[in-house]
Each structure stands twice: as C-alpha cells, then as structure tokens.
Coordinates of all heavy atoms in Angstrom, one line a residue:
M179 N 2.2 9.9 15.5 CA 1.1 9.2 14.8 C 0.9 7.8 15.4 O 1.9 7.1 15.7 CB 1.4 9.1 13.4 CG 1.4 10.3 12.6 SD -0.1 10.4 11.6 CE 0.2 12.0 10.8
A180 N -0.3 7.5 15.6 CA -0.6 6.1 16.1 C -0.5 5.1 15.0 O -0.8 5.4 13.8 CB -2.0 6.1 16.7
K181 N 0.0 3.9 15.3 CA 0.1 2.9 14.3 C -0.8 1.7 14.6 O -1.0 1.4 15.8 CB 1.6 2.4 14.2 CG 2.5 3.4 13.8 CD 3.9 2.9 13.8 CE 4.9 4.0 13.4 NZ 6.3 3.6 13.5
K182 N -1.3 1.1 13.6 CA -2.1 -0.2 13.8 C -1.9 -1.0 12.6 O -1.3 -0.6 11.6 CB -3.6 0.1 14.1 CG -4.4 0.7 12.9 CD -5.8 0.8 13.3 CE -6.7 1.0 12.0 NZ -8.1 1.1 12.3
T183 N -2.4 -2.3 12.7 CA -2.2 -3.2 11.6 C -3.6 -3.6 11.0 O -4.6 -3.6 11.8 CB -1.4 -4.4 12.0 OG1 -2.0 -5.1 13.0 CG2 0.0 -4.0 12.4
T184 N -3.6 -4.1 9.8 CA -4.8 -4.6 9.2 C -4.4 -5.5 8.0 O -3.4 -5.3 7.4 CB -5.7 -3.4 8.7 OG1 -7.0 -3.9 8.3 CG2 -5.1 -2.7 7.5
P185 N -5.3 -6.5 7.7 CA -5.0 -7.3 6.5 C -5.0 -6.4 5.2 O -5.7 -5.4 5.1 CB -6.1 -8.3 6.5 CG -6.7 -8.3 7.9 CD -6.5 -6.9 8.4
A186 N -4.2 -6.8 4.3 CA -4.1 -6.1 3.0 C -5.4 -5.8 2.3 O -5.6 -4.8 1.7 CB -3.1 -6.8 2.1
H187 N -6.3 -6.8 2.4 CA -7.6 -6.6 1.7 C -8.5 -5.5 2.3 O -9.5 -5.1 1.7 CB -8.3 -7.9 1.5 CG -8.9 -8.4 2.8 ND1 -8.2 -9.2 3.7 CD2 -10.2 -8.4 3.3 CE1 -9.0 -9.5 4.7 NE2 -10.2 -9.0 4.5
L188 N -8.2 -5.0 3.5 CA -9.0 -4.0 4.1 C -8.4 -2.6 3.9 O -8.9 -1.6 4.4 CB -9.1 -4.3 5.6 CG -9.9 -5.5 5.9 CD1 -10.0 -5.7 7.4 CD2 -11.3 -5.5 5.3
V189 N -7.2 -2.5 3.2 CA -6.6 -1.2 2.9 C -7.5 -0.4 1.9 O -7.9 -1.0 0.9 CB -5.2 -1.4 2.4 CG1 -4.6 0.0 1.9 CG2 -4.3 -2.0 3.5
K190 N -7.8 0.8 2.2 CA -8.6 1.7 1.4 C -7.9 2.9 0.9 O -6.9 3.3 1.4 CB -9.9 2.1 2.2 CG -10.7 1.0 2.8 CD -11.7 0.5 1.9 CE -12.6 -0.5 2.6 NZ -12.4 -1.8 2.3
Q191 N -8.5 3.5 -0.2 CA -7.9 4.8 -0.7 C -7.9 5.8 0.4 O -8.8 6.0 1.2 CB -8.8 5.2 -1.9 CG -8.4 6.5 -2.5 CD -9.3 6.9 -3.7 OE1 -10.3 6.2 -3.9 NE2 -9.0 8.0 -4.3
G192 N -6.8 6.6 0.4 CA -6.6 7.7 1.3 C -5.8 7.3 2.6 O -5.4 8.2 3.3
M193 N -5.7 6.0 2.9 CA -5.0 5.6 4.1 C -3.5 5.8 3.9 O -3.0 5.8 2.8 CB -5.2 4.1 4.3 CG -6.6 3.7 4.8 SD -6.7 1.9 5.1 CE -8.2 1.8 6.0
T194 N -2.8 5.9 5.0 CA -1.3 6.0 5.0 C -0.8 4.7 5.5 O -1.2 4.3 6.6 CB -0.8 7.2 5.9 OG1 -1.4 8.4 5.4 CG2 0.7 7.2 5.9
I195 N 0.0 4.0 4.7 CA 0.6 2.8 5.1 C 2.1 2.9 5.2 O 2.7 3.8 4.6 CB 0.2 1.6 4.1 CG1 0.8 1.9 2.7 CG2 -1.3 1.5 4.1 CD1 0.6 0.7 1.7
L196 N 2.7 1.9 5.9 CA 4.2 1.9 6.1 C 4.6 0.6 5.4 O 4.2 -0.5 5.7 CB 4.6 1.8 7.5 CG 4.2 3.1 8.4 CD1 4.4 2.8 9.8 CD2 5.0 4.2 7.9
V197 N 5.5 0.7 4.4 CA 6.0 -0.4 3.7 C 7.5 -0.2 3.6 O 8.0 0.9 3.1 CB 5.4 -0.6 2.3 CG1 6.0 -1.7 1.5 CG2 3.9 -0.7 2.3
D198 N 8.3 -1.2 4.0 CA 9.8 -1.1 4.0 C 10.3 0.2 4.7 O 11.2 0.8 4.3 CB 10.3 -1.1 2.5 CG 10.1 -2.5 1.9 OD1 10.0 -3.5 2.6 OD2 9.9 -2.5 0.7
G199 N 9.6 0.6 5.8 CA 10.0 1.7 6.5 C 9.7 3.1 6.0 O 10.1 4.1 6.5
L200 N 9.0 3.1 4.8 CA 8.6 4.4 4.2 C 7.1 4.6 4.3 O 6.3 3.6 4.3 CB 9.0 4.4 2.7 CG 10.5 4.3 2.5 CD1 10.8 4.2 1.0 CD2 11.3 5.4 3.1
R201 N 6.7 5.8 4.4 CA 5.2 6.2 4.4 C 4.7 6.4 3.0 O 5.3 7.1 2.2 CB 5.0 7.4 5.2 CG 5.4 7.2 6.7 CD 5.5 8.5 7.5 NE 4.3 9.1 7.6 CZ 4.2 10.4 7.8 NH1 5.2 11.2 8.0 NH2 3.0 11.0 7.9
W202 N 3.5 5.8 2.8 CA 2.9 5.9 1.4 C 1.4 6.2 1.6 O 0.8 5.8 2.6 CB 3.0 4.5 0.7 CG 4.3 4.0 0.5 CD1 5.1 3.2 1.4 CD2 5.2 4.3 -0.6 NE1 6.3 3.0 0.9 CE2 6.4 3.6 -0.3 CE3 5.1 5.0 -1.8 CZ2 7.5 3.6 -1.2 CZ3 6.1 5.0 -2.6 CH2 7.3 4.4 -2.4
V203 N 0.9 7.0 0.7 CA -0.6 7.3 0.7 C -1.2 6.5 -0.4 O -0.7 6.4 -1.6 CB -0.8 8.8 0.3 CG1 -2.3 9.1 0.2 CG2 -0.1 9.7 1.4
V204 N -2.2 5.7 0.0 CA -2.9 4.8 -0.9 C -3.8 5.5 -1.9 O -4.6 6.3 -1.6 CB -3.7 3.8 -0.2 CG1 -4.5 2.8 -1.1 CG2 -2.8 3.0 0.8
L205 N -3.5 5.3 -3.2 CA -4.4 5.9 -4.3 C -5.5 4.9 -4.7 O -6.6 5.3 -4.9 CB -3.5 6.2 -5.5 CG -2.4 7.2 -5.4 CD1 -1.6 7.3 -6.7 CD2 -2.9 8.5 -4.9
E206 N -5.1 3.6 -4.7 CA -6.1 2.6 -5.1 C -5.7 1.3 -4.4 O -4.6 1.0 -4.2 CB -6.1 2.4 -6.6 CG -6.9 3.4 -7.4 CD -7.0 2.9 -8.9 OE1 -7.9 2.1 -9.2 OE2 -6.2 3.4 -9.6
S207 N -6.7 0.5 -4.2 CA -6.5 -0.8 -3.6 C -7.4 -1.8 -4.5 O -8.6 -1.7 -4.4 CB -6.9 -0.9 -2.2 OG -6.6 -2.2 -1.6
L208 N -6.7 -2.6 -5.3 CA -7.4 -3.5 -6.2 C -7.2 -4.9 -5.9 O -6.2 -5.4 -5.4 CB -6.8 -3.2 -7.6 CG -6.8 -1.8 -8.1 CD1 -6.0 -1.6 -9.4 CD2 -8.2 -1.2 -8.3
Y209 N -8.3 -5.7 -6.1 CA -8.2 -7.2 -5.9 C -8.0 -7.9 -7.2 O -8.6 -7.7 -8.2 CB -9.6 -7.6 -5.3 CG -9.7 -9.1 -5.0 CD1 -9.0 -9.6 -3.9 CD2 -10.5 -9.9 -5.7 CE1 -9.1 -10.9 -3.6 CE2 -10.5 -11.3 -5.4 CZ -9.8 -11.8 -4.4 OH -9.9 -13.1 -4.1
D210 N -6.9 -8.7 -7.2 CA -6.6 -9.5 -8.3 C -6.9 -11.0 -8.0 O -6.1 -11.6 -7.3 CB -5.1 -9.3 -8.7 CG -4.6 -10.1 -9.8 OD1 -5.5 -10.7 -10.5 OD2 -3.4 -10.2 -10.1
L211 N -8.0 -11.5 -8.5 CA -8.4 -12.8 -8.2 C -7.4 -13.9 -8.6 O -7.2 -14.9 -7.9 CB -9.8 -13.1 -8.9 CG -10.4 -14.5 -8.7 CD1 -10.7 -14.7 -7.3 CD2 -11.6 -14.6 -9.6
H212 N -6.8 -13.7 -9.7 CA -5.9 -14.8 -10.2 C -4.4 -14.7 -9.6 O -3.7 -15.7 -9.6 CB -5.8 -14.7 -11.7 CG -7.2 -15.0 -12.3 ND1 -7.8 -16.2 -12.2 CD2 -8.0 -14.2 -12.9 CE1 -9.0 -16.1 -12.8 NE2 -9.2 -14.9 -13.2
G213 N -4.0 -13.5 -9.2 CA -2.7 -13.3 -8.6 C -1.6 -14.0 -9.4 O -1.6 -13.8 -10.6
N214 N -0.7 -14.7 -8.8 CA 0.3 -15.3 -9.5 C 0.1 -16.8 -9.7 O 1.0 -17.6 -10.0 CB 1.7 -15.1 -9.0 CG 1.8 -14.8 -7.5 OD1 0.9 -14.4 -6.9 ND2 3.0 -15.1 -6.9
G215 N -1.1 -17.3 -9.5 CA -1.4 -18.7 -9.7 C -2.8 -19.0 -9.2 O -3.4 -18.2 -8.5
P216 N -3.2 -20.2 -9.4 CA -4.6 -20.6 -8.9 C -4.6 -20.6 -7.4 O -3.6 -20.9 -6.8 CB -4.8 -22.0 -9.5 CG -3.5 -22.4 -10.2 CD -2.6 -21.2 -10.2
N217 N -5.7 -20.2 -6.9 CA -5.9 -20.1 -5.4 C -4.9 -19.3 -4.7 O -4.5 -19.5 -3.5 CB -5.9 -21.6 -4.8 CG -6.9 -22.5 -5.5 OD1 -8.0 -22.0 -5.7 ND2 -6.5 -23.7 -5.8
Q218 N -4.4 -18.2 -5.3 CA -3.4 -17.3 -4.7 C -3.8 -15.9 -5.1 O -3.0 -15.2 -5.8 CB -2.0 -17.6 -5.1 CG -1.0 -17.0 -4.2 CD 0.4 -17.5 -4.5 OE1 0.7 -17.9 -5.6 NE2 1.2 -17.5 -3.5
P219 N -4.9 -15.4 -4.6 CA -5.3 -14.0 -5.0 C -4.4 -13.0 -4.4 O -3.7 -13.3 -3.4 CB -6.7 -13.9 -4.4 CG -6.8 -14.9 -3.3 CD -5.9 -16.0 -3.7
R220 N -4.3 -11.8 -5.0 CA -3.4 -10.8 -4.5 C -4.2 -9.5 -4.3 O -5.2 -9.3 -5.0 CB -2.3 -10.5 -5.5 CG -1.5 -11.7 -5.9 CD -0.7 -12.1 -4.7 NE 0.8 -12.0 -5.0 CZ 1.7 -12.2 -4.1 NH1 1.3 -12.5 -2.9 NH2 2.9 -12.1 -4.4
Q221 N -3.7 -8.6 -3.5 CA -4.2 -7.3 -3.3 C -3.2 -6.3 -3.9 O -2.0 -6.3 -3.4 CB -4.4 -6.9 -1.8 CG -5.3 -5.7 -1.6 CD -6.7 -5.9 -2.0 OE1 -7.2 -7.0 -2.0 NE2 -7.3 -4.8 -2.4
I222 N -3.5 -5.6 -4.9 CA -2.6 -4.6 -5.6 C -2.9 -3.3 -5.0 O -4.0 -2.8 -5.1 CB -2.8 -4.6 -7.1 CG1 -2.8 -6.0 -7.7 CG2 -1.8 -3.7 -7.7 CD1 -1.5 -6.8 -7.5
I223 N -1.9 -2.7 -4.3 CA -2.1 -1.4 -3.7 C -1.2 -0.4 -4.4 O 0.0 -0.6 -4.5 CB -1.7 -1.5 -2.2 CG1 -2.6 -2.5 -1.5 CG2 -1.8 -0.1 -1.5 CD1 -2.3 -2.7 0.0
I224 N -1.8 0.6 -5.0 CA -1.1 1.7 -5.7 C -0.9 2.9 -4.9 O -1.9 3.4 -4.3 CB -1.8 2.0 -7.0 CG1 -2.1 0.7 -7.9 CG2 -1.1 3.1 -7.8 CD1 -3.0 0.9 -9.0
C225 N 0.3 3.4 -4.7 CA 0.6 4.4 -3.7 C 1.5 5.5 -4.3 O 2.2 5.3 -5.3 CB 1.3 3.9 -2.5 SG 0.5 2.6 -1.7
D226 N 1.4 6.7 -3.7 CA 2.4 7.8 -3.9 C 3.2 7.9 -2.6 O 2.6 7.6 -1.5 CB 1.7 9.1 -4.2 CG 1.2 9.2 -5.6 OD1 1.6 8.4 -6.5 OD2 0.5 10.2 -5.9
A227 N 4.4 8.5 -2.7 CA 5.1 8.8 -1.5 C 4.3 9.8 -0.7 O 3.6 10.6 -1.2 CB 6.5 9.4 -1.8
H228 N 4.4 9.7 0.7 CA 3.7 10.6 1.5 C 4.1 12.1 1.2 O 5.3 12.3 1.0 CB 4.0 10.3 3.0 CG 3.1 10.9 4.0 ND1 3.3 12.1 4.5 CD2 1.9 10.4 4.5 CE1 2.3 12.4 5.3 NE2 1.4 11.4 5.3
P229 N 3.2 13.0 1.3 CA 3.5 14.4 1.0 C 4.6 15.0 1.8 O 5.3 15.9 1.4 CB 2.2 15.2 1.3 CG 1.1 14.1 1.2 CD 1.8 12.8 1.6
D230 N 4.9 14.5 3.0 CA 6.0 15.0 3.9 C 7.3 14.7 3.2 O 8.3 15.4 3.5 CB 6.0 14.2 5.2 CG 4.9 14.6 6.1 OD1 4.1 15.6 5.8 OD2 4.7 14.0 7.2
R231 N 7.4 13.8 2.2 CA 8.6 13.5 1.5 C 8.7 14.1 0.1 O 9.5 13.7 -0.7 CB 8.8 12.0 1.5 CG 8.8 11.4 2.8 CD 9.2 9.9 2.8 NE 10.5 9.8 2.2 CZ 10.7 8.8 1.3 NH1 9.8 8.0 0.9 NH2 11.9 8.7 0.7
A232 N 7.8 15.0 -0.2 CA 7.6 15.6 -1.6 C 8.9 16.2 -2.1 O 9.3 16.0 -3.2 CB 6.5 16.6 -1.6
K233 N 9.6 16.9 -1.2 CA 10.9 17.6 -1.6 C 11.9 16.5 -2.0 O 12.7 16.7 -3.0 CB 11.4 18.5 -0.6 CG 10.6 19.8 -0.4 CD 11.3 20.7 0.6 CE 10.4 22.0 0.8 NZ 11.0 22.8 1.8
E234 N 12.0 15.5 -1.2 CA 13.0 14.4 -1.5 C 12.7 13.6 -2.8 O 13.6 13.3 -3.5 CB 13.0 13.4 -0.3 CG 13.4 14.0 1.0 CD 13.1 13.0 2.1 OE1 13.2 11.8 1.9 OE2 12.9 13.5 3.2
T235 N 11.4 13.3 -3.0 CA 11.0 12.4 -4.0 C 10.7 13.1 -5.3 O 10.8 12.5 -6.4 CB 9.8 11.5 -3.6 OG1 8.7 12.4 -3.3 CG2 10.2 10.7 -2.4
G236 N 10.3 14.3 -5.3 CA 9.9 15.0 -6.5 C 8.8 14.3 -7.3 O 7.8 13.9 -6.7
V237 N 9.1 14.0 -8.6 CA 8.1 13.3 -9.4 C 8.3 11.8 -9.3 O 7.5 11.0 -9.8 CB 8.2 13.7 -10.9 CG1 7.8 15.1 -11.0 CG2 9.5 13.4 -11.5
Y238 N 9.3 11.3 -8.6 CA 9.5 9.9 -8.4 C 8.7 9.4 -7.3 O 8.1 10.1 -6.5 CB 11.0 9.6 -8.1 CG 11.9 10.1 -9.2 CD1 12.6 11.3 -9.1 CD2 12.0 9.5 -10.4 CE1 13.4 11.8 -10.1 CE2 12.8 9.9 -11.4 CZ 13.5 11.1 -11.3 OH 14.3 11.5 -12.3
M239 N 8.6 8.1 -7.2 CA 7.8 7.4 -6.2 C 6.3 7.8 -6.3 O 5.7 8.0 -5.2 CB 8.4 7.7 -4.8 CG 9.8 7.2 -4.7 SD 10.5 7.6 -3.1 CE 10.3 6.0 -2.2
R240 N 5.8 7.9 -7.5 CA 4.4 8.1 -7.7 C 3.8 6.9 -8.5 O 4.5 6.5 -9.4 CB 4.1 9.4 -8.4 CG 4.5 10.6 -7.6 CD 4.0 11.9 -8.3 NE 4.4 13.0 -7.5 CZ 4.3 14.2 -7.9 NH1 4.0 14.5 -9.1 NH2 4.7 15.2 -7.1
G241 N 2.7 6.5 -8.1 CA 2.1 5.3 -8.8 C 2.8 4.0 -8.5 O 2.8 3.2 -9.4
V242 N 3.4 3.9 -7.4 CA 4.2 2.7 -7.1 C 3.2 1.6 -6.7 O 2.2 1.8 -6.0 CB 5.1 2.9 -5.9 CG1 5.8 1.6 -5.5 CG2 6.1 4.0 -6.2
H243 N 3.4 0.4 -7.3 CA 2.5 -0.8 -7.1 C 3.1 -1.7 -6.1 O 4.3 -2.1 -6.2 CB 2.3 -1.5 -8.4 CG 1.5 -0.8 -9.4 ND1 1.9 0.4 -9.9 CD2 0.3 -1.0 -10.0 CE1 1.0 0.8 -10.8 NE2 0.0 0.0 -10.8
F244 N 2.3 -2.1 -5.1 CA 2.7 -3.2 -4.1 C 1.7 -4.3 -4.3 O 0.5 -4.1 -4.4 CB 2.7 -2.7 -2.7 CG 3.7 -1.6 -2.4 CD1 3.2 -0.3 -2.3 CD2 5.0 -1.9 -2.3 CE1 4.2 0.8 -2.0 CE2 5.9 -0.9 -2.0 CZ 5.5 0.5 -1.9
S245 N 2.2 -5.5 -4.3 CA 1.4 -6.7 -4.5 C 1.5 -7.6 -3.2 O 2.6 -8.0 -2.9 CB 1.8 -7.5 -5.7 OG 1.1 -8.7 -5.8
F246 N 0.4 -7.7 -2.5 CA 0.4 -8.5 -1.3 C -0.6 -9.6 -1.4 O -1.6 -9.5 -2.0 CB 0.0 -7.6 -0.1 CG 0.9 -6.5 0.2 CD1 0.5 -5.2 -0.1 CD2 2.1 -6.7 0.8 CE1 1.3 -4.1 0.2 CE2 2.9 -5.6 1.1 CZ 2.5 -4.3 0.8
E247 N -0.3 -10.7 -0.7 CA -1.4 -11.7 -0.5 C -2.4 -11.0 0.3 O -2.1 -10.2 1.2 CB -0.9 -13.0 0.1 CG 0.0 -13.8 -0.8 CD 0.5 -15.1 -0.3 OE1 0.0 -15.5 0.8 OE2 1.3 -15.7 -0.9
T248 N -3.7 -11.4 0.1 CA -4.8 -10.7 0.8 C -4.7 -10.8 2.3 O -5.2 -9.9 3.0 CB -6.1 -11.2 0.3 OG1 -6.2 -12.6 0.5 CG2 -6.4 -10.9 -1.1
S249 N -4.1 -11.8 2.9 CA -4.0 -12.0 4.3 C -2.8 -11.3 5.0 O -2.7 -11.3 6.2 CB -4.1 -13.4 4.7 OG -3.0 -14.1 4.1
V250 N -1.9 -10.8 4.2 CA -0.7 -10.1 4.8 C -1.1 -8.9 5.6 O -2.0 -8.2 5.3 CB 0.3 -9.7 3.6 CG1 1.3 -8.8 4.1 CG2 0.8 -10.9 2.9
I251 N -0.4 -8.8 6.7 CA -0.7 -7.7 7.7 C 0.1 -6.5 7.2 O 1.3 -6.5 7.0 CB -0.4 -8.1 9.1 CG1 -1.1 -9.3 9.6 CG2 -0.6 -6.9 10.1 CD1 -2.6 -9.2 9.5
V252 N -0.7 -5.4 7.0 CA -0.1 -4.1 6.6 C -0.1 -3.1 7.8 O -1.2 -3.1 8.5 CB -0.8 -3.5 5.4 CG1 -0.3 -2.2 5.0 CG2 -0.8 -4.5 4.2
E253 N 0.9 -2.4 8.0 CA 1.0 -1.4 9.1 C 0.4 -0.1 8.6 O 0.8 0.4 7.5 CB 2.4 -1.2 9.6 CG 2.5 -0.5 10.9 CD 3.9 -0.5 11.4 OE1 4.8 -1.0 10.8 OE2 4.1 0.1 12.5
L254 N -0.5 0.5 9.3 CA -1.2 1.8 9.0 C -0.8 2.9 10.0 O -0.4 2.6 11.1 CB -2.7 1.7 9.1 CG -3.4 0.6 8.3 CD1 -4.9 0.6 8.7 CD2 -3.2 0.9 6.8
E255 N -0.9 4.1 9.5 CA -0.7 5.3 10.4 C -2.1 6.0 10.4 O -2.8 6.1 9.4 CB 0.3 6.3 9.8 CG 1.7 6.0 10.3 CD 2.6 7.1 10.0 OE1 2.2 8.1 9.5 OE2 3.8 6.9 10.3
E256 N -2.4 6.5 11.6 CA -3.7 7.2 11.7 C -3.5 8.6 12.0 O -2.5 9.0 12.6 CB -4.5 6.6 12.9 CG -5.0 5.2 12.6 CD -5.8 4.6 13.7 OE1 -5.6 4.9 14.9 OE2 -6.8 4.0 13.4

C-alpha cells in the first residue's frame, strides 16, 4: 500500500489512517471549534480497527476517538 500524509482537517470518512503504528478506518471526522481552549481547535477522528485485524480485535477497538490539532500531519494509506 502506498502511504502519504495530510493535515488532520482533511481526513474524510472511509480513509485508512495510521496512528501509533496501527491501521484504522475513519468513520467520522468532526471539527471541534473550542478544542481544549480558546484559539486551539481540534479535529476529532472516530475510527474502527482496520478489517484486516478483525480476528484480533473482535468487538474491541471500535468507535475509538482521536483528537488532533487541525494542522497535525496524519499518515494515510491508499
């Protein structure tokens, strides 16, 4: 699989991202204007473990939330 990077605010539903060395399928990508303080917006990315890991994870690792600053670079798989 080819890898590329993009800012967190450009991550869309259905993309596969790599976070902490694990593959995740994006369910939703939400913008949180207030984040953890004034002038610090966040991108909330809700993911499930990649289907390749379904046997390992079972019902766990579903609906996992990641919170990134909007400018953080996220690694994608194509």
Side-chain angles (χ1 to χ4, degrees):
M179 293 256 177
K181 295 178 184 176
K182 70 177 194 177
T183 59
T184 189
H187 72 277
L188 295 178
V189 173
K190 305 272 187 254
Q191 180 179 2
M193 289 181 166
T194 299
I195 63 173
L196 298 169
V197 179
D198 293 331
L200 300 174
R201 294 167 64 201
W202 302 90
V203 176
V204 177
L205 300 177
E206 280 187 83
S207 183
L208 308 169
Y209 180 72
D210 179 8
L211 177 63
H212 300 292
N214 28 333
N217 302 319
Q218 197 173 27
R220 301 295 241 177
Q221 194 70 28
I222 310 298
I223 300 176
I224 304 170
C225 302
D226 279 352
H228 195 274
D230 290 352
R231 300 188 59 227
K233 286 184 181 179
E234 299 169 30
T235 61
V237 297
Y238 301 102
M239 300 178 97
R240 291 188 180 168
V242 176
H243 292 63
F244 296 105
S245 174
F246 299 107
E247 289 185 10
T248 56
S249 60
V250 167
I251 301 300
V252 177
E253 193 171 2
L254 303 174
E255 272 193 2
E256 295 183 319

